Amino acid sequence: MSIRNLDDLLGEGMSGRRVLVRADLNVPLDKQSGEITDDGRIRAVLPTLSALVQAGAKVVVCSHLGRPKGAPDPQFSLRPVAGRLGELLGAPVHFAKDTVGDSARSIVEGLADGQVALLENLRFNKGETSKDDAERGAFADQLAAFGDAYVDDAFGAVHRKHASVYDVPARLPHVAGRLVLREVEVLSKLTGDPERPYVVVLGGSKVSDKLAVIEALLPTVDRLLIGGGMCFTFLKAQGHEVGSSLLEEEMVETCRNLLERSGGKIMLPVDVVAADAFAPDATHDTVPADGIPSHRLGLDIGPETVAGFAAALSQAKTIFWNGPMGVFEMAAFANGTRGVAEAITKTDAFSVVGGGDSAAAVRALGLDESSFGHISTGGGASLEYLEGKTLPGIAALEN
């Protein structure tokens, strides 16, 4: 990867220099209390921020959170993140009440060497996500005014052509942060010449969301294990009754073609946990995958499937996992995800967890993160990288 990295920037001397850092601090917040429920993404950027602070830089951090509509919205404020970031850094983080307005300018101008500021949510400004180059560029000009150099450490956003990701690097000397560099190094192992057997586990709700990555991976993997809500469209393609399970009817023929072309590489559930309602206390039991009652819906893979998936994983030397096996947020339907995750940790394989809900599941289920080779911070970005797509944020760093 022909990209300058953080060490290149640090080698130039940081004392007194302002460094604009694009981080991915899009953490989940409790709807009632507004408290952060998973600070994994904040922790992921600490190595880059700590290195800059120790080098004496004036660090200006920017990020998005959620999907506000281009205007301030209190429920998507980054204020709670500023507090948690300060706790983890061991020093106060100065919080700007806006992104490029009076508060932001005042906070940035007042920074001393080694201090950190966090700007308010980038998506409170229409220019951040605008498809109009001029509007996006105008916002990028305002952001770039806060830095003498730019560091992208937001791997979870590099697949977006947004002002802070794509346009700002064109306006400032730019480097990849520690996290972005690590993510690309790890994922390049999967797209290069992975040690075999190479086993991929895909879950999540929709086949349509994963179709491109399935198409890209099928020629290169040795086994492709499919669980989660997307498995029911594949089961339907095999001619099985799936009851009221999640189903993409328009994708059935596509799944049938994938199964025919896979040469037996695709492995589907043989049993599922079927419930009478989508609820944590719903009546449920385990049924054969080809015998789901018409009035029930599958919410998890069953124990025989977990055992079969675990057997396939035990032979692997390289593993990529993206997407939960069931509705892991409900305890009754978390066993499939837990079982597959634990099976991965028991192997000697180089394992990569592909961000998003998979990474959230690892933490929510209390699994040891160090048991996995790498846990990505970018679900969508990691999938698009494996698809072979050009990621705007990475392309901007290479220029």
Side-chain angles (χ1 to χ4, degrees):
M1 186 174 63
S2 56
I3 295 176
R4 296 177 74 233
N5 62 49
L6 186 66
D7 289 333
D8 296 321
L9 183 64
L10 294 174
E12 299 171 358
M14 285 288 96
S15 182
R17 294 183 69 187
R18 299 170 306 153
V19 180
L20 182 66
V21 179
R22 177 52 160 104
D24 179 10
L25 305 177
N26 184 26
V27 295
L29 301 174
D30 183 89
K31 291 182 179 179
Q32 302 298 323
S33 66
E35 294 180 356
I36 297 166
T37 58
D38 180 358
D39 65 1
R41 284 178 170 158
I42 303 176
R43 292 178 179 275
V45 77
L46 290 179
T48 289
L49 297 184
S50 297
L52 288 167
V53 167
Q54 290 166 13
K58 300 175 180 180
V59 185
V60 182
V61 184
C62 60
S63 176
H64 73 284
L65 191 155
R67 296 179 180 272
K69 306 298 184 182
D73 186 336
Q75 68 175 318
F76 296 117
S77 174
L78 280 166
R79 184 177 289 279
V81 174
R84 182 57 179 150
L85 181 58
E87 292 173 2
L88 293 170
L89 287 172
V93 169
H94 302 272
F95 181 66
K97 297 176 183 177
D98 52 32
T99 307
V100 291
D102 291 342
S103 176
R105 285 191 291 271
S106 175
I107 290 289
V108 172
E109 288 172 5
L111 284 179
D113 291 2
Q115 290 189 331
V116 179
L118 175 63
L119 307 179
E120 184 55 286
N121 195 333
L122 291 165
R123 292 187 183 176
F124 285 0
N125 301 75
K126 290 190 296 184
E128 168 66 0
T129 60
S130 176
K131 290 182 169 55
D132 180 83
D133 291 348
E135 184 175 27
R136 213 176 53 246
F139 182 54
D141 287 339
Q142 293 177 291
L143 280 175
F146 291 148
D148 302 310
Y150 170 85
V151 178
D152 189 345
D153 216 27
F155 182 74
V158 294
H159 60 314
R160 306 294 188 192
K161 191 177 180 180
H162 290 170
S164 63
V165 175
Y166 182 75
D167 300 277
V168 171
R171 289 156 169 79
L172 292 172
H174 49 268
V175 302
R178 299 254 195 267
L179 175 62
V180 164
L181 196 65
R182 170 66 176 160
E183 294 271 14
V184 173
E185 286 174 348
V186 166
L187 292 173
S188 65
K189 290 183 181 181
L190 303 184
T191 56
D193 186 20
E195 191 175 357
R196 297 185 179 280
Y198 176 22
V199 179
V200 170
V201 186
L202 291 181
S205 57
K206 295 182 178 180
V207 178
S208 54
D209 290 342
K210 303 287 171 72
L211 178 60
V213 78
I214 293 173
E215 294 272 12
L217 289 173
L218 207 50
T220 62
V221 302
D222 296 294
R223 297 302 298 271
L224 178 56
L225 319 181
I226 293 180
M230 62 189 290
C231 78
F232 299 106
T233 303
F234 278 94
L235 292 172
K236 184 73 171 181
Q238 289 184 321
H240 302 317
E241 168 65 56
V242 297
S244 53
S245 305
L246 187 63
L247 175 66
E248 289 183 282
E249 192 70 55
E250 71 280 5
M251 297 296 295
V252 171
E253 186 59 33
T254 299
C255 289
R256 187 176 294 117
N257 290 335
L258 286 170
L259 289 167
E260 291 173 356
R261 288 163 40 206
S262 74
K265 289 181 179 180
I266 294 178
M267 189 172 178
L268 296 174
V270 295
D271 61 345
V272 301
V273 179
D276 61 1
F278 187 88
D281 58 351
T283 300
H284 61 276
D285 51 26
T286 302
V287 300
D290 60 358
I292 302 172
S294 60
H295 63 286
R296 291 204 165 191
L297 70 161
L299 295 181
D300 196 11
I301 59 173
E304 283 189 41
T305 300
V306 171
F309 283 10
L313 290 163
S314 69
Q315 306 298 314
K317 294 298 182 184
T318 305
I319 296 170
F320 176 73
W321 168 37
N322 179 277
M325 297 293 98
V327 188
F328 73 92
E329 299 90 345
M330 301 180 188
F333 312 111
N335 291 331
T337 302
R338 180 188 298 279
V340 167
E342 289 177 344
I344 293 172
T345 66
K346 292 173 183 176
T347 71
D348 295 325
F350 173 66
S351 58
V352 178
V353 180
D357 288 340
S358 313
V362 168
R363 290 188 279 268
L365 297 174
L367 301 170
D368 183 2
E369 294 183 45
S370 66
S371 298
F372 300 90
H374 178 71
I375 298 180
S376 178
T377 56
S382 63
L383 289 178
E384 290 195 18
Y385 190 96
L386 294 185
E387 289 168 25
K389 287 186 176 180
T390 297
L391 306 183
I394 300 299
L397 293 177
E398 289 177 329
N399 292 334

